[in-house]
Amino acid sequence: MSIEDLESIALAMVAPGKGIIAIDESTKTIAKRFEAVGIENSEENRRAYRELLLTTPGLNEHISGAILYDETIRQKTRDGVPFTEVMKKAGIIPGIKVDKGPVPLAGFPGDVVTEGLDGLRPRLEEYARLGAQFAKWRAVINITEDNPSSTAIEANCHALARYAALCQEAGLVPMVEPEVIMDGDHTIEVSYEVHEAVLRSLFNALYEQNVMLEGTILKSSMVIPGKACDEQASVEEVAEATVRVLKTCVPASLPGIVFLSGGQTDEQSTSHLNAMNRMGPHPWPLSFSYGRAMQQAALKLWSKDMKANYADAQKTVHARAKDNGLAALGQWNG
Ligand code: 13P
């Protein structure tokens, strides 16, 4: 696949007023989400829930793509239609999470590094055959008094760049996701410094590994104080700091940047994105790739009565997609 093909997929992922729905929770992570609302973590419940999300009427009005998990990309609707077919018909680009999650980084207590590079080439080839057009890899950066070490930043960015190069070889757009975690009592200034160090290291590593930025999407966290910090920031402060660090570190040749919600409330995730876009124009489209902030309200509703609330849960997903789509244009009015 040529760089032009990768670039056109990347641009479609951040088409004006559209964003991504992340439904790529691993079986372990979805277990936590299901447990919180009293749903049994069976394969059928996971399949039924992902069907609910992917078949939301009108989802494609505001959603350009969806990130799936290994199990999900192989699943079908109740009527036997592969999810990837449903998505393609609706013009929703299939994506796939390909990392194998974070493990402790030896020698650096509190730091983690994401695994999954071994055997990645054939896995990517298989995902491409199954219909995926982009792939996601998440690196986790923890903030404490002693973390992150520069070794952890480098190890994670090196892995992100290796994965990104392999994706482009397989004809998939890499969505590179360094997530700076919101847990902790750090200030917004510390969050800014860590984002700056991580993004500088990431774009350096992408350059070293010959990754073509024109066919790459960045999935970023926002510059935000730790959840336990006494001094929380206003919507404008978060938006201003996030845009500033991105402008400092991210080349303009990147087709787009999407954000994760990372534990923000629905309202916060939408208003931060909206505020950033109101500060535009920026060198790249700024949109969303939310997991929890797209799903949590719908999951709660569905859990109360899977049959009776099915349509209303889908309406809730659509409403979240609509709000975030408007925020991606800076046109959300609360
Ligand atoms: P959240 O929006 O729930 O952080 O999930 C997005 C995601 O894909 C994290 O990897």
Side-chain angles (χ1 to χ4, degrees), residues 151-194:
T151 306
I153 293 176
E154 260 175 52
N156 276 292
C157 291
H158 180 79
L160 273 165
R162 290 276 319 279
Y163 130 87
L166 283 161
C167 281
Q168 292 190 333
E169 179 189 270
L172 299 171
V173 170
M175 177 188 270
V176 293
E177 180 186 14
E179 175 172 0
V180 177
I181 301 292
M182 280 168 64
D183 295 336
D185 59 3
H186 53 274
T187 60
I188 191 168
E189 287 80 16
V190 169
S191 176
Y192 184 97
E193 281 166 24
V194 173

mmCIF file of all heavy atoms in Angstrom, residues 151-194:
data_model
loop_
_atom_site.group_PDB
_atom_site.id
_atom_site.type_symbol
_atom_site.label_atom_id
_atom_site.label_comp_id
_atom_site.label_asym_id
_atom_site.label_seq_id
_atom_site.Cartn_x
_atom_site.Cartn_y
_atom_site.Cartn_z
ATOM 1 N N THR A 151 14.106 6.395 31.028
ATOM 2 C CA THR A 151 14.217 5.053 30.425
ATOM 3 C C THR A 151 12.835 4.526 30.035
ATOM 4 O O THR A 151 12.662 3.942 28.957
ATOM 5 C CB THR A 151 14.882 4.072 31.426
ATOM 6 O OG1 THR A 151 16.115 4.652 31.845
ATOM 7 C CG2 THR A 151 15.130 2.724 30.800
ATOM 8 N N ALA A 152 11.852 4.750 30.904
ATOM 9 C CA ALA A 152 10.494 4.270 30.595
ATOM 10 C C ALA A 152 9.935 5.014 29.383
ATOM 11 O O ALA A 152 9.294 4.416 28.510
ATOM 12 C CB ALA A 152 9.575 4.470 31.799
ATOM 13 N N ILE A 153 10.163 6.305 29.327
ATOM 14 C CA ILE A 153 9.663 7.084 28.180
ATOM 15 C C ILE A 153 10.297 6.556 26.895
ATOM 16 O O ILE A 153 9.601 6.280 25.914
ATOM 17 C CB ILE A 153 9.958 8.585 28.378
ATOM 18 C CG1 ILE A 153 9.137 9.122 29.564
ATOM 19 C CG2 ILE A 153 9.663 9.372 27.103
ATOM 20 C CD1 ILE A 153 9.424 10.573 29.916
ATOM 21 N N GLU A 154 11.604 6.362 26.932
ATOM 22 C CA GLU A 154 12.297 5.904 25.718
ATOM 23 C C GLU A 154 11.876 4.499 25.309
ATOM 24 O O GLU A 154 11.667 4.234 24.133
ATOM 25 C CB GLU A 154 13.809 5.915 25.943
ATOM 26 C CG GLU A 154 14.459 7.146 25.350
ATOM 27 C CD GLU A 154 15.926 7.207 25.679
ATOM 28 O OE1 GLU A 154 16.643 6.212 25.443
ATOM 29 O OE2 GLU A 154 16.339 8.252 26.210
ATOM 30 N N ALA A 155 11.765 3.598 26.290
ATOM 31 C CA ALA A 155 11.393 2.210 25.967
ATOM 32 C C ALA A 155 10.011 2.167 25.333
ATOM 33 O O ALA A 155 9.776 1.479 24.335
ATOM 34 C CB ALA A 155 11.422 1.348 27.228
ATOM 35 N N ASN A 156 9.081 2.940 25.892
ATOM 36 C CA ASN A 156 7.715 2.948 25.351
ATOM 37 C C ASN A 156 7.655 3.585 23.966
ATOM 38 O O ASN A 156 6.928 3.110 23.085
ATOM 39 C CB ASN A 156 6.779 3.669 26.313
ATOM 40 C CG ASN A 156 6.279 2.744 27.403
ATOM 41 O OD1 ASN A 156 5.513 1.816 27.141
ATOM 42 N ND2 ASN A 156 6.738 2.958 28.625
ATOM 43 N N CYS A 157 8.402 4.650 23.768
ATOM 44 C CA CYS A 157 8.355 5.327 22.462
ATOM 45 C C CYS A 157 9.065 4.500 21.396
ATOM 46 O O CYS A 157 8.642 4.475 20.242
ATOM 47 C CB CYS A 157 8.941 6.734 22.570
ATOM 48 S SG CYS A 157 7.853 7.797 23.561
ATOM 49 N N HIS A 158 10.114 3.805 21.804
ATOM 50 C CA HIS A 158 10.794 2.908 20.863
ATOM 51 C C HIS A 158 9.820 1.817 20.392
ATOM 52 O O HIS A 158 9.710 1.535 19.194
ATOM 53 C CB HIS A 158 12.020 2.284 21.532
ATOM 54 C CG HIS A 158 12.785 1.352 20.650
ATOM 55 N ND1 HIS A 158 13.661 1.785 19.687
ATOM 56 C CD2 HIS A 158 12.783 0.001 20.562
ATOM 57 C CE1 HIS A 158 14.175 0.750 19.047
ATOM 58 N NE2 HIS A 158 13.646 -0.351 19.560
ATOM 59 N N ALA A 159 9.082 1.231 21.333
ATOM 60 C CA ALA A 159 8.118 0.181 20.974
ATOM 61 C C ALA A 159 7.009 0.744 20.087
ATOM 62 O O ALA A 159 6.603 0.111 19.103
ATOM 63 C CB ALA A 159 7.526 -0.441 22.235
ATOM 64 N N LEU A 160 6.531 1.939 20.421
ATOM 65 C CA LEU A 160 5.484 2.568 19.588
ATOM 66 C C LEU A 160 5.978 2.759 18.156
ATOM 67 O O LEU A 160 5.239 2.531 17.187
ATOM 68 C CB LEU A 160 5.089 3.930 20.180
ATOM 69 C CG LEU A 160 4.006 3.927 21.250
ATOM 70 C CD1 LEU A 160 3.976 5.264 21.995
ATOM 71 C CD2 LEU A 160 2.621 3.641 20.647
ATOM 72 N N ALA A 161 7.229 3.171 18.004
ATOM 73 C CA ALA A 161 7.761 3.428 16.670
ATOM 74 C C ALA A 161 7.993 2.124 15.906
ATOM 75 O O ALA A 161 7.739 2.040 14.702
ATOM 76 C CB ALA A 161 9.052 4.242 16.774
ATOM 77 N N ARG A 162 8.457 1.083 16.605
ATOM 78 C CA ARG A 162 8.637 -0.230 15.948
ATOM 79 C C ARG A 162 7.290 -0.744 15.449
ATOM 80 O O ARG A 162 7.159 -1.254 14.340
ATOM 81 C CB ARG A 162 9.221 -1.254 16.944
ATOM 82 C CG ARG A 162 10.656 -1.050 17.357
ATOM 83 C CD ARG A 162 11.656 -1.637 16.363
ATOM 84 N NE ARG A 162 11.279 -2.956 15.828
ATOM 85 C CZ ARG A 162 11.472 -4.111 16.448
ATOM 86 N NH1 ARG A 162 12.059 -4.152 17.638
ATOM 87 N NH2 ARG A 162 11.106 -5.248 15.890
ATOM 88 N N TYR A 163 6.281 -0.633 16.306
ATOM 89 C CA TYR A 163 4.926 -1.087 15.924
ATOM 90 C C TYR A 163 4.398 -0.267 14.749
ATOM 91 O O TYR A 163 3.817 -0.798 13.802
ATOM 92 C CB TYR A 163 4.008 -0.985 17.154
ATOM 93 C CG TYR A 163 2.705 -0.278 16.936
ATOM 94 C CD1 TYR A 163 1.594 -0.973 16.467
ATOM 95 C CD2 TYR A 163 2.578 1.092 17.168
ATOM 96 C CE1 TYR A 163 0.392 -0.311 16.239
ATOM 97 C CE2 TYR A 163 1.403 1.747 16.940
ATOM 98 C CZ TYR A 163 0.310 1.047 16.468
ATOM 99 O OH TYR A 163 -0.866 1.699 16.233
ATOM 100 N N ALA A 164 4.628 1.059 14.784
ATOM 101 C CA ALA A 164 4.106 1.933 13.722
ATOM 102 C C ALA A 164 4.727 1.576 12.374
ATOM 103 O O ALA A 164 4.033 1.524 11.346
ATOM 104 C CB ALA A 164 4.374 3.399 14.075
ATOM 105 N N ALA A 165 6.027 1.292 12.370
ATOM 106 C CA ALA A 165 6.695 0.929 11.109
ATOM 107 C C ALA A 165 6.123 -0.385 10.571
ATOM 108 O O ALA A 165 5.870 -0.522 9.366
ATOM 109 C CB ALA A 165 8.201 0.815 11.339
ATOM 110 N N LEU A 166 5.887 -1.346 11.451
ATOM 111 C CA LEU A 166 5.312 -2.631 11.033
ATOM 112 C C LEU A 166 3.893 -2.445 10.490
ATOM 113 O O LEU A 166 3.490 -3.086 9.522
ATOM 114 C CB LEU A 166 5.307 -3.623 12.210
ATOM 115 C CG LEU A 166 6.664 -4.251 12.539
ATOM 116 C CD1 LEU A 166 6.669 -4.829 13.945
ATOM 117 C CD2 LEU A 166 7.011 -5.350 11.520
ATOM 118 N N CYS A 167 3.122 -1.554 11.107
ATOM 119 C CA CYS A 167 1.756 -1.278 10.618
ATOM 120 C C CYS A 167 1.803 -0.756 9.188
ATOM 121 O O CYS A 167 1.050 -1.222 8.327
ATOM 122 C CB CYS A 167 1.096 -0.188 11.464
ATOM 123 S SG CYS A 167 0.466 -0.765 13.007
ATOM 124 N N GLN A 168 2.668 0.209 8.960
ATOM 125 C CA GLN A 168 2.705 0.808 7.615
ATOM 126 C C GLN A 168 3.160 -0.221 6.586
ATOM 127 O O GLN A 168 2.648 -0.255 5.468
ATOM 128 C CB GLN A 168 3.592 2.055 7.632
ATOM 129 C CG GLN A 168 2.947 3.162 8.475
ATOM 130 C CD GLN A 168 3.628 4.510 8.363
ATOM 131 O OE1 GLN A 168 4.823 4.597 8.082
ATOM 132 N NE2 GLN A 168 2.870 5.566 8.616
ATOM 133 N N GLU A 169 4.075 -1.100 6.977
ATOM 134 C CA GLU A 169 4.502 -2.177 6.072
ATOM 135 C C GLU A 169 3.309 -3.070 5.707
ATOM 136 O O GLU A 169 3.183 -3.531 4.579
ATOM 137 C CB GLU A 169 5.585 -3.014 6.764
ATOM 138 C CG GLU A 169 6.096 -4.169 5.943
ATOM 139 C CD GLU A 169 7.003 -5.082 6.769
ATOM 140 O OE1 GLU A 169 8.208 -4.829 6.792
ATOM 141 O OE2 GLU A 169 6.479 -6.026 7.410
ATOM 142 N N ALA A 170 2.409 -3.296 6.673
ATOM 143 C CA ALA A 170 1.246 -4.174 6.456
ATOM 144 C C ALA A 170 0.067 -3.424 5.837
ATOM 145 O O ALA A 170 -0.997 -4.007 5.618
ATOM 146 C CB ALA A 170 0.821 -4.808 7.777
ATOM 147 N N GLY A 171 0.221 -2.129 5.570
ATOM 148 C CA GLY A 171 -0.855 -1.364 4.957
ATOM 149 C C GLY A 171 -1.897 -0.868 5.951
ATOM 150 O O GLY A 171 -3.031 -0.578 5.576
ATOM 151 N N LEU A 172 -1.511 -0.783 7.220
ATOM 152 C CA LEU A 172 -2.425 -0.278 8.252
ATOM 153 C C LEU A 172 -1.917 1.073 8.760
ATOM 154 O O LEU A 172 -0.710 1.261 8.921
ATOM 155 C CB LEU A 172 -2.477 -1.245 9.441
ATOM 156 C CG LEU A 172 -2.981 -2.660 9.174
ATOM 157 C CD1 LEU A 172 -2.761 -3.537 10.400
ATOM 158 C CD2 LEU A 172 -4.455 -2.649 8.813
ATOM 159 N N VAL A 173 -2.849 1.982 9.028
ATOM 160 C CA VAL A 173 -2.458 3.262 9.618
ATOM 161 C C VAL A 173 -2.205 3.048 11.108
ATOM 162 O O VAL A 173 -3.084 2.556 11.817
ATOM 163 C CB VAL A 173 -3.572 4.321 9.433
ATOM 164 C CG1 VAL A 173 -3.270 5.584 10.251
ATOM 165 C CG2 VAL A 173 -3.729 4.674 7.959
ATOM 166 N N PRO A 174 -1.011 3.381 11.604
ATOM 167 C CA PRO A 174 -0.782 3.261 13.048
ATOM 168 C C PRO A 174 -1.419 4.420 13.805
ATOM 169 O O PRO A 174 -1.269 5.576 13.421
ATOM 170 C CB PRO A 174 0.745 3.314 13.178
ATOM 171 C CG PRO A 174 1.228 4.022 11.953
ATOM 172 C CD PRO A 174 0.188 3.813 10.875
ATOM 173 N N MET A 175 -2.178 4.080 14.852
ATOM 174 C CA MET A 175 -2.671 5.100 15.777
ATOM 175 C C MET A 175 -1.784 4.958 17.013
ATOM 176 O O MET A 175 -1.909 3.980 17.759
ATOM 177 C CB MET A 175 -4.146 4.838 16.105
ATOM 178 C CG MET A 175 -4.716 5.806 17.125
ATOM 179 S SD MET A 175 -6.362 5.314 17.650
ATOM 180 C CE MET A 175 -7.360 6.176 16.459
ATOM 181 N N VAL A 176 -0.850 5.874 17.153
ATOM 182 C CA VAL A 176 0.130 5.767 18.241
ATOM 183 C C VAL A 176 -0.419 6.468 19.477
ATOM 184 O O VAL A 176 -0.793 7.631 19.426
ATOM 185 C CB VAL A 176 1.517 6.328 17.831
ATOM 186 C CG1 VAL A 176 2.156 5.470 16.752
ATOM 187 C CG2 VAL A 176 1.437 7.763 17.354
ATOM 188 N N GLU A 177 -0.508 5.730 20.575
ATOM 189 C CA GLU A 177 -1.171 6.258 21.764
ATOM 190 C C GLU A 177 -0.262 6.231 22.991
ATOM 191 O O GLU A 177 -0.158 5.202 23.672
ATOM 192 C CB GLU A 177 -2.449 5.451 22.071
ATOM 193 C CG GLU A 177 -3.177 5.976 23.311
ATOM 194 C CD GLU A 177 -4.360 5.124 23.752
ATOM 195 O OE1 GLU A 177 -4.495 3.979 23.281
ATOM 196 O OE2 GLU A 177 -5.147 5.608 24.565
ATOM 197 N N PRO A 178 0.382 7.335 23.293
ATOM 198 C CA PRO A 178 1.070 7.426 24.579
ATOM 199 C C PRO A 178 0.101 8.053 25.576
ATOM 200 O O PRO A 178 -0.260 9.213 25.448
ATOM 201 C CB PRO A 178 2.244 8.365 24.279
ATOM 202 C CG PRO A 178 1.804 9.201 23.112
ATOM 203 C CD PRO A 178 0.598 8.551 22.475
ATOM 204 N N GLU A 179 -0.368 7.274 26.537
ATOM 205 C CA GLU A 179 -1.336 7.811 27.503
ATOM 206 C C GLU A 179 -0.628 8.209 28.792
ATOM 207 O O GLU A 179 -0.122 7.354 29.530
ATOM 208 C CB GLU A 179 -2.439 6.788 27.820
ATOM 209 C CG GLU A 179 -3.382 7.316 28.921
ATOM 210 C CD GLU A 179 -4.619 6.460 29.190
ATOM 211 O OE1 GLU A 179 -4.792 5.425 28.524
ATOM 212 O OE2 GLU A 179 -5.404 6.845 30.077
ATOM 213 N N VAL A 180 -0.631 9.491 29.078
ATOM 214 C CA VAL A 180 -0.140 9.977 30.367
ATOM 215 C C VAL A 180 -1.322 9.874 31.326
ATOM 216 O O VAL A 180 -2.372 10.510 31.121
ATOM 217 C CB VAL A 180 0.381 11.429 30.263
ATOM 218 C CG1 VAL A 180 0.828 11.934 31.629
ATOM 219 C CG2 VAL A 180 1.527 11.508 29.249
ATOM 220 N N ILE A 181 -1.154 9.052 32.350
ATOM 221 C CA ILE A 181 -2.267 8.687 33.230
ATOM 222 C C ILE A 181 -2.659 9.845 34.163
ATOM 223 O O ILE A 181 -1.805 10.569 34.672
ATOM 224 C CB ILE A 181 -1.877 7.423 34.037
ATOM 225 C CG1 ILE A 181 -1.566 6.262 33.080
ATOM 226 C CG2 ILE A 181 -2.937 7.038 35.052
ATOM 227 C CD1 ILE A 181 -2.741 5.705 32.313
ATOM 228 N N MET A 182 -3.974 9.984 34.368
ATOM 229 C CA MET A 182 -4.518 11.075 35.200
ATOM 230 C C MET A 182 -4.480 10.780 36.705
ATOM 231 O O MET A 182 -4.798 11.650 37.505
ATOM 232 C CB MET A 182 -5.998 11.297 34.861
ATOM 233 C CG MET A 182 -6.284 12.108 33.628
ATOM 234 S SD MET A 182 -8.051 11.947 33.210
ATOM 235 C CE MET A 182 -8.851 12.710 34.615
ATOM 236 N N ASP A 183 -4.192 9.525 37.076
ATOM 237 C CA ASP A 183 -4.180 9.192 38.514
ATOM 238 C C ASP A 183 -2.998 9.881 39.183
ATOM 239 O O ASP A 183 -1.917 9.984 38.601
ATOM 240 C CB ASP A 183 -4.055 7.675 38.715
ATOM 241 C CG ASP A 183 -5.265 6.939 38.186
ATOM 242 O OD1 ASP A 183 -6.337 7.560 38.102
ATOM 243 O OD2 ASP A 183 -5.130 5.757 37.828
ATOM 244 N N GLY A 184 -3.203 10.328 40.434
ATOM 245 C CA GLY A 184 -2.115 10.969 41.180
ATOM 246 C C GLY A 184 -2.494 12.373 41.587
ATOM 247 O O GLY A 184 -3.585 12.864 41.257
ATOM 248 N N ASP A 185 -1.559 13.027 42.299
ATOM 249 C CA ASP A 185 -1.877 14.376 42.795
ATOM 250 C C ASP A 185 -1.004 15.437 42.110
ATOM 251 O O ASP A 185 -0.823 16.531 42.624
ATOM 252 C CB ASP A 185 -1.720 14.447 44.316
ATOM 253 C CG ASP A 185 -0.305 14.104 44.775
ATOM 254 O OD1 ASP A 185 0.566 13.873 43.905
ATOM 255 O OD2 ASP A 185 -0.078 14.076 46.003
ATOM 256 N N HIS A 186 -0.487 15.087 40.941
ATOM 257 C CA HIS A 186 0.393 16.024 40.230
ATOM 258 C C HIS A 186 -0.393 17.221 39.680
ATOM 259 O O HIS A 186 -1.588 17.132 39.420
ATOM 260 C CB HIS A 186 1.127 15.296 39.097
ATOM 261 C CG HIS A 186 0.234 14.541 38.167
ATOM 262 N ND1 HIS A 186 -0.178 13.244 38.413
ATOM 263 C CD2 HIS A 186 -0.367 14.901 37.009
ATOM 264 C CE1 HIS A 186 -0.972 12.847 37.433
ATOM 265 N NE2 HIS A 186 -1.106 13.838 36.570
ATOM 266 N N THR A 187 0.336 18.306 39.494
ATOM 267 C CA THR A 187 -0.293 19.533 38.988
ATOM 268 C C THR A 187 -0.383 19.495 37.463
ATOM 269 O O THR A 187 0.237 18.651 36.801
ATOM 270 C CB THR A 187 0.563 20.759 39.366
ATOM 271 O OG1 THR A 187 1.855 20.581 38.758
ATOM 272 C CG2 THR A 187 0.711 20.899 40.878
ATOM 273 N N ILE A 188 -1.087 20.478 36.907
ATOM 274 C CA ILE A 188 -1.185 20.576 35.447
ATOM 275 C C ILE A 188 0.189 20.877 34.844
ATOM 276 O O ILE A 188 0.504 20.430 33.742
ATOM 277 C CB ILE A 188 -2.252 21.619 35.024
ATOM 278 C CG1 ILE A 188 -2.533 21.528 33.518
ATOM 279 C CG2 ILE A 188 -1.837 23.044 35.417
ATOM 280 C CD1 ILE A 188 -3.755 22.313 33.050
ATOM 281 N N GLU A 189 1.038 21.589 35.590
ATOM 282 C CA GLU A 189 2.383 21.905 35.081
ATOM 283 C C GLU A 189 3.206 20.622 34.924
ATOM 284 O O GLU A 189 3.923 20.447 33.942
ATOM 285 C CB GLU A 189 3.125 22.877 36.017
ATOM 286 C CG GLU A 189 2.621 24.315 35.978
ATOM 287 C CD GLU A 189 1.362 24.530 36.818
ATOM 288 O OE1 GLU A 189 1.035 23.662 37.661
ATOM 289 O OE2 GLU A 189 0.678 25.553 36.607
ATOM 290 N N VAL A 190 3.089 19.730 35.904
ATOM 291 C CA VAL A 190 3.820 18.456 35.811
ATOM 292 C C VAL A 190 3.285 17.649 34.630
ATOM 293 O O VAL A 190 4.044 17.058 33.851
ATOM 294 C CB VAL A 190 3.719 17.669 37.145
ATOM 295 C CG1 VAL A 190 4.235 16.246 36.978
ATOM 296 C CG2 VAL A 190 4.488 18.394 38.237
ATOM 297 N N SER A 191 1.961 17.633 34.468
ATOM 298 C CA SER A 191 1.374 16.917 33.332
ATOM 299 C C SER A 191 1.921 17.482 32.023
ATOM 300 O O SER A 191 2.272 16.730 31.102
ATOM 301 C CB SER A 191 -0.154 17.034 33.368
ATOM 302 O OG SER A 191 -0.730 16.431 32.232
ATOM 303 N N TYR A 192 2.043 18.803 31.956
ATOM 304 C CA TYR A 192 2.577 19.439 30.737
ATOM 305 C C TYR A 192 4.004 18.950 30.470
ATOM 306 O O TYR A 192 4.344 18.553 29.351
ATOM 307 C CB TYR A 192 2.563 20.970 30.877
ATOM 308 C CG TYR A 192 3.018 21.672 29.613
ATOM 309 C CD1 TYR A 192 2.089 22.161 28.699
ATOM 310 C CD2 TYR A 192 4.372 21.798 29.311
ATOM 311 C CE1 TYR A 192 2.503 22.779 27.521
ATOM 312 C CE2 TYR A 192 4.791 22.403 28.134
ATOM 313 C CZ TYR A 192 3.855 22.896 27.245
ATOM 314 O OH TYR A 192 4.267 23.486 26.066
ATOM 315 N N GLU A 193 4.845 18.985 31.522
ATOM 316 C CA GLU A 193 6.260 18.592 31.347
ATOM 317 C C GLU A 193 6.378 17.140 30.885
ATOM 318 O O GLU A 193 7.194 16.823 30.024
ATOM 319 C CB GLU A 193 7.024 18.751 32.664
ATOM 320 C CG GLU A 193 7.417 20.180 32.950
ATOM 321 C CD GLU A 193 7.858 20.366 34.401
ATOM 322 O OE1 GLU A 193 8.293 19.379 35.029
ATOM 323 O OE2 GLU A 193 7.729 21.503 34.883
ATOM 324 N N VAL A 194 5.565 16.267 31.464
ATOM 325 C CA VAL A 194 5.629 14.851 31.084
ATOM 326 C C VAL A 194 5.140 14.676 29.645
ATOM 327 O O VAL A 194 5.764 13.968 28.847
ATOM 328 C CB VAL A 194 4.834 13.965 32.071
ATOM 329 C CG1 VAL A 194 4.756 12.526 31.574
ATOM 330 C CG2 VAL A 194 5.466 14.016 33.459
#
